[in-house]
Structures are given as C-alpha cells and as structure tokens.
Amino acid sequence: MFKIVNREMMAHGTIILNEIEAPQIAKKAKPGQFVILIANERGERIPLTMANVDKERGTITIIYMIIGATTKLFATLKVGEGYRDVVGPLGQPTHIEKKGTIVCVGGGTGIAVLHPITRGMYEADNRVISILGARNKDFLIMEEEMQKVSTELRICTDDGSKGRHGFVTDELREVLETQDVAEVVAIGPVPMMKFVSLLTKEFNVPTTVSLNPIMIDGTGMCGGCRVTIGGETKFACVDGPEFDGHKVDFDGLMRRLQAYRLEEDKASCECTLEAE
Amino acid sequence: MYREQEAKYLTKKERRGIPRQPMPEQAPTIRNKDFSEVTVGYSITDAQYEAARCIQCKDPACVKGCPVGIDIPSFLEMIVEGNLNGSINKVWERTALPAVCGRVCPQEIQCEVVCVVGKKKDSEPVGIGNLEMFISDWARESGVKNQVEVAPPTGKKIAVVGSGPAGITVAGDLAVKGHQVTIYEALHKPGGVLLYGIPEFRLSKSIVDYEIEQLQELGVEIVCNTVVGRTIDVDELLDEMGYDAVFIGVGAGLPTFLGIPGEDLNGVFSANEYLTRANLMKAYEFPKYDTPIIVGRNVAILGAGNVAMDAARTAVRLGAKKVTIVYRRTKEQSPSRHIEIHHAGEEGVKFEFLTSPLEFIGDANGKLVGINCEVMELGEADEGGRQRPIPTGEHKYLDCDLAIIAIGTHANPLLTNTTDGLQLNKWGNIEADKATGKTTKERVWAGGDITLGQATVILAMGMGRDAANSIDSYLNAEEEW
C-alpha cells in the first residue's frame, strides 16, 4: 500500500490534495511527469501528473478534482489509508532551461501540475509571468504557492470575484502584445489549452501543453492515450504528456475523452444506488 | 472395444486401435455467454487411454519438437501406469508452467506435428498438449507441489525485468540453482501477457496466479509497479543495487495501427487496449470492477492471428450482436492456430477474408459507424512462397460501431531508450545471441518478444531457459576467478 501522509481539501471540497509515500518514485520524479494510481483491488488505473515531489520525505503529491466514480472513491481515502498501487514516474519530463520570459498559464487543477514546472522555470533564472484562471475566487487553488515561484502573478475569474473579470486568454493577449515572450506553458482544461494555443500561434510564440487522455498501462502498451500531433499519432504516455500546443488536435482529444461517457454515468449511478 | 479394459492392461496392438480422445469442451452456445474456460479437461480415464496411444519411440521426435525438451514419452507412460506424481515431476523437470503450456502452446506445429502416430493413415497424433493440461491440472487440484530441489544459496543476485513467460522461466530456473532472484513488473499484477493478453476463457487467471505462487515458494521475490527505464534503470540495478546479472523480458510493446484515416475515432481500439481492459482490469465485470469497456453491437476485428481471435471471442462474450474478423488474406493464410479459428466460428464469429480496410467512417460526433474496405484477390507468391493479396479496385462497406485492430505490435522503446550499450536491430528489438540470450551489454541477457518481435509463450520460455543456463554458467565462472 502507498500511504497517504497528508490530505487537504481545496475549493469547497471539490478538489483534493494527497501527499503519498512513494520513495522510489520521489527519487526519480521530475516536473511534468505523471503517476498512475489504483485505489483498491477492483479499481481502475488513473493517470495524474504530480503536483509536488519531496525527495527527502520520500513523498509525491497529487491534486485532483472529484468528477467521476473513481475520483469519488479516491476522495474517501483518509490519512493513514492509501492506494493499492502507484506506479511512476511516467512520461517525459518538462524541458526546463533559461529562455527569458516564460508565461505559465493554469486553469482549474491544471494549476497544480503547472506549479512544479513554474518553479523549475523560475529557478532556472527565467522571468516568469503566471496567469491563473478559475470560475470564481473560491475555486482558485495554489495562489500563494504560485506567487512564490513567479516574477509576476495575474489572476482571472469568470465572474470577476478576483483579479480580471474574464478568461486567461484575455490576460495572455495583453502580455503577448506588450512583451517579448520566449515560451508559453499552458495546463488546464482542454478548451483552455486549445484557445491559448490558437492565441500564441497568432504571435508565433512556442507553446507547451500537458495532455491527460484516457490511458491504461502508461508504458506504451495499450495505445488508448493516442493523440494526433501535427497529423501524426503519438502516445501521450511515452511521447508526452507535454506536446507542442500548435500541433495538437484538441478537438480529437476532447472527443476521445468522452469515449466512456455512457459507461461512466452508469458507474456513478450504481455508486449512488449503493450509497443509498 | 478398448474401453473394456484399463489402459495399462491393453496390448500394443489394442493400444494402436484407440482413437484420439476428444477434449471435452463447454457447448458453444453456453460458453459464448460467459468467461469461464472453454476446455473442460480430460478425466483420468480419457487421459490414460490417450496416453496409451503413444508408441514410446526409441528416438522420440516429439521431444525434439518441444522448445523446452519435455520428456514426453516418459510422462505419458507414467499417466498410463497411474503414476501421476511421477508424471508431473517429469514435466516439471523441463517447464515451470505446464498448465499454461498445455493450453496455449501451438502443439500442432511443435511436438504433435512430428508424432509418429499421427503419420499413419487415418490416425491423429497423440494429444500431448491435452495430456500436459491434464497432468498439471491434476497436480494443482490435488495440492501436489513441485518438489524440485533448490540448490544451496550461491549469494548471487539476479534481476528479471518483466513477469511474462520468459521472465517467469528465467526466474524459476535460476532460483532452483540457488541464486537470489527478484522480478520487476511494470503492471500492478504479475504474469505479463498471460494476464493482460490471453483471455480467462482460454487460460484461467487462477492458473496464472497459482504458477506465480509456485515461483514465490522457490524464493523468487516479485516487485510490481516498477517500470524499469523509469522507476529504476538497468545500470542502477547492476551498479547500485548489487545485481550480478539482469535479464530483460519486457515483451512485445507498442500496438501497431493501420495508419488509415479515421483511426482516432471513438470506437477504434488496439487489441492490446481492448484485451487489457477485459483481462487485466476485468472490465467484463464492470461496474463491479471500475474499468469500463465499450460493448459494441456490431464489432469488426482487423487481423486474423491468435490475438484477433481472442478479441473476437471476448466481444462475443461481452454481448455483441455480430462479430466479424476482417482479414486481407485467406483463411488458410491466417497466422492463427486452427483450433482458435474453429472455436471462434463455433461461437458465432463471422469472417470476411480477402478484405482490406481503407478508412474508418465516423458520424458527426466522431463515433465509428463503419469501415470502407477493398476486396482483395490472391496474386503471385512472395519469396516465402505465400501468395500476396492484391487490390481488385472493388470496394465494400462494413457497418460497425466497434473496431479492434489486431495486426501485431512493435518493440517498446521505453527500456531500450534509457539503457546504454544495448544493440538493437532495425525494428528496435534487442539483439541477443540465439543460443544464450546474451546481449551486447555486459551482464545483461534478454529473451522473449523484446528480442524475437512476436512469437509464442513457449518460444519465450525456451529462450528464458537458455538465458538462465547462460547466466548460471557466467555466475559460476565468475566465482572461479
């Protein structure tokens, strides 16, 4: 068992943080890489990009939003309990080097994944402008942590309850129009990454996105996580999870993420019945 | 009538009159609705009559035909005599996985094809595979354990990467020789292809679990959730973790796609994904198990090998209304075992031979609705003497809401990319010496599909055996220095 040593609730309990004992993974993990977790004997394999790694404590941190049957199950796990299986680190690490001004754009739980990458960029002496987006101020996570690793932090909310009243793309456009940007890293919901990539394409600024398609083994065996990148089929688990945002077929990705919609509804439904 | 007497009392002449005993199977219309094993297995009486058909050749061709060289005439005669304990121990001398081999080995191209009994007019070869299944099932069900003697500890440590057939064989052989063996497995359960690839109805997972337990009883340690090349790498195993040798048996790897339009539509799967969901993740019991699987109504399987048959028969059991194997060559050219095509047909699977897919067609929501295909015909023979399928220009449309691509796999670069000093062939498979499995990297051996491309369980086991011998002599020689 991989024990949970710390658990936090964020955004009114809709987002959960788990710090998990996994010394072997912590030893190797780099920003941008992911793990696959299984809650119990009957559980499914869920890939999540790591939000933090503590090599000394031998722990990794994941942050997830409660959306389907399995994340609901994950959310029931308390400190001292744990996951039956955790495997990783998987995928290619983020390419971090000194490039100049980097804009890190995060939305929803994507901010959790963006954090270690932002820190890496910041520690590599880049000037980092972070733009975070959320539905409203209560759903904004990790603002303080992001502040610490950014030269400048900008916030956008859909309802204007904090920062700019608008989308991250509005804020990003302003930055791109006024400054020389070496790279944009965007991690969040697929539509957000799509519109960020369309925008940066206008300005011809290299853009990295991190994809989270459906996968099983995470080592290249099943091909379920295939994404179309510049017309070519790539496997997010071994070739990614990060790709050139200008080449990603986001519409195809969105469609594939819906593949099990009917089955997932069925699972959630049965869970509710059992609970009753 | 031969059944009037016990097999062991029959004369040589009477033995020759015994016909091949049919393998009892569940009826097709019953078994195609659940995942329990198709083959029921011989009773002891069936087994003794079948074994009595062996004429005990002085120079048995079957033993040479077996990739691991099981002493077939001896284990058969012991069955006839009723010495089942002796018989299973005879089998265990050469294979750690008889219950698996009895079920999934292609005996018809190995031991049984050369059987002298089968050469006679109107006679079929001895059912060696069926008997191997019988004797190993008997041992498991009666709690008879492999009493192979484990040599005293040598103090040598070996890491085996991958817990499929090659890895299991290497680990078992080296443990018996007194070495300390650890298997590293990437998935959350050990067994490799035996677990994620071969369906329950062909090889019950309880058998795989049992074989793995046997291995652990020999002292082999199994560490799951460890991707060598990511969680740890080969050089760490050798230099930091104190392993004297490493065996790589990571299997076949990446699924090959057709490279035709529409392959990213919802409803198009690789056989690896489809079978892994069903077998490893038990998606056929969804939602009792959490992993979902799409139950198609109208399913097309592209390819006609053993994996294609497994996928087709899985789709039937999940409740598909129509399941069709689509293959660009003919039935005779199919790389599948005859028994697999036969079983699939019995269970209601349809076949479209000389049909080559051109394009997957989707609806407005990106969901698969059909496949455009081209009708093929057989043209001239290639270098191997096999007639090539050539396009006729005539098109054919197949309705389907689920398509499963089963045209093979290619080497997974995950481990090889992160390991210096391993020479690969042009397909990315590890170059290993044919006789010993030795790679170009010092203290590293390899075997199974990562070296062969795609082969069978038993060939991987044969390579595992050779590698284990080579590793053992290397470790002993090292001692003498």
Side-chain angles (χ1 to χ4, degrees), chain B residues 351-369:
Chain B
F351 297 88
E352 291 275 358
F353 292 108
L354 290 169
T355 306
S356 180
L358 294 174
E359 184 183 11
F360 294 104
I361 310 295
D363 65 12
N365 301 317
K367 227 190 137 308
L368 178 75
V369 294

Side-chain angles (χ1 to χ4, degrees), chain A residues 24 28 38 41-45 85 87-89 214 216 219-222 224 226 255-256 260 263 270, chain B residues 188-189 225 230-232 236 254-255 263 266 268-270 272-273 276-277 286 288 290-291 366 412:
Chain A
Q24 192 71 49
K28 280 297 181 67
I38 307 178
E41 179 66 29
R42 292 179 182 178
E44 64 178 325
R45 295 171 66 96
D85 303 280
V87 61
I214 293 168
I216 306 180
T219 62
M221 188 194 80
C222 82
R226 61 192 192 276
R255 202 172 61 219
R256 288 185 63 80
Y260 291 93
E263 287 75 11
E270 302 238 349
Chain B
H188 56 283
K189 285 181 181 167
N225 295 315
R230 287 268 192 270
T231 318
I232 43 181
E236 272 177 287
L254 311 184
E263 219 152 28
N266 283 354
V268 182
F269 287 82
S270 73
N272 269 8
E273 177 177 2
T276 302
R277 281 180 183 273
F286 179 83
K288 187 175 144 196
D290 296 341
T291 304
N412 190 333

